Amino acid sequence: GLMLAIEFSSAEFTQQVIDNCLKNGVLTDWFLFAENCIRICPPLIITEEQIKDACSRIILSINQVTNK
């Protein structure tokens, strides 16, 4: 399957992004061996529209942490 990661500067920042992703409707988690990265594992049947929607929500979540 497809697996991606986004690396951030710290575990604290990553946790805040994960919390915001959950609030914004995107289920994600960190790696046990890399606490400063979020894991993105969409299903193989994901549509282009769903990818764009999920990416928008992830970007929103990152911006919510950055703009605090």
Side-chain angles (χ1 to χ4, degrees):
L2 177 63
M3 184 180 283
L4 303 168
I6 302 174
E7 183 177 357
F8 297 107
S9 59
S10 69
E12 295 80 21
F13 186 90
T14 303
Q15 187 59 55
Q16 291 176 6
V17 172
I18 289 171
D19 292 344
N20 283 340
C21 280
L22 291 173
K23 290 175 187 173
N24 292 322
V26 176
L27 181 60
T28 188
D29 206 353
W30 64 90
F31 292 95
L32 294 176
F33 59 87
E35 294 178 344
N36 65 323
C37 298
I38 64 170
R39 182 173 50 187
I40 304 169
C41 300
L44 293 177
I45 59 170
I46 193 167
T47 66
E48 186 174 339
E49 181 180 328
Q50 291 169 324
I51 292 169
K52 289 178 181 179
D53 181 52
C55 288
S56 294
R57 293 172 189 238
I58 292 169
I59 291 168
L60 171 64
S61 300
I62 294 167
N63 288 338
Q64 288 172 330
V65 175
T66 304
N67 295 328
K68 281 187 176 180

